[in-house]
Amino acid sequence: MSNVAEYCFFCLPAEVDIDDYNEMLQWGYQNPEAPTVLSLTQEQLDFYHELGLWNMMSDYTDYMIGPSDSNVIFDIEIKQIRDAVTEEFTLKDESINKMIDILDYAITHEKAVVMNFG
């Protein structure tokens, strides 16, 4: 398994407004150090899948979230996912805490969250 970050979970910062999905992805990959970007390796993606994080998130959306999926989540789904991760998911490592921070930021600034795992 590679320890190179290939995937990302992010929202655009408040001052960045991009409507095109491909341009949003490009921004996420070009700004891995931004506070609203979490870069993930294949190993991390698989680890969270095995723990059930992506399936739990899928329970609060109309689509599947998991390895090989790419999704954009909006509004009420973001709050539902945030609450579920905070209340139901027992592991709170650095990446999970950053996911929660990104979800909080997205809620506060009314931004979509992009998960590119494919």
Side-chain angles (χ1 to χ4, degrees), residues 1-106:
M1 296 261 170
S2 171
N3 283 331
V4 175
E6 302 175 55
Y7 309 102
C8 59
F9 179 103
F10 71 95
C11 74
L12 297 173
E15 66 276 3
V16 176
D17 190 25
I18 300 171
D19 290 330
D20 180 76
Y21 179 73
N22 290 326
E23 289 179 23
M24 288 172 70
L25 280 181
Q26 185 177 8
W27 184 94
Y29 283 101
Q30 289 176 341
N31 295 278
E33 300 301 318
T36 60
V37 176
L38 173 64
S39 297
L40 298 166
T41 65
Q42 182 69 53
E43 186 175 86
Q44 289 172 305
L45 194 68
D46 293 340
F47 174 73
Y48 293 124
H49 181 66
E50 289 172 19
L51 291 178
L53 177 62
W54 311 133
N55 287 336
M56 184 196 68
M57 287 183 174
S58 295
D59 291 342
Y60 295 93
T61 67
D62 290 332
Y63 41 83
M64 292 300 298
I65 296 172
S68 77
D69 293 325
S70 294
N71 298 296
V72 179
I73 57 173
F74 302 95
D75 305 324
I76 191 74
E77 291 176 337
I78 294 172
K79 177 147 179 33
Q80 290 172 334
I81 288 173
R82 188 253 184 238
D83 291 346
V85 172
T86 303
E87 297 166 13
E88 298 174 28
F89 201 70
T90 55
L91 177 68
K92 298 294 188 286
D93 65 10
E94 186 177 329
S95 293
I96 298 296
N97 288 331
K98 186 154 186 185
M99 281 182 208
I100 293 168
D101 290 344
I102 292 168
L103 293 165
D104 284 340
Y105 187 94

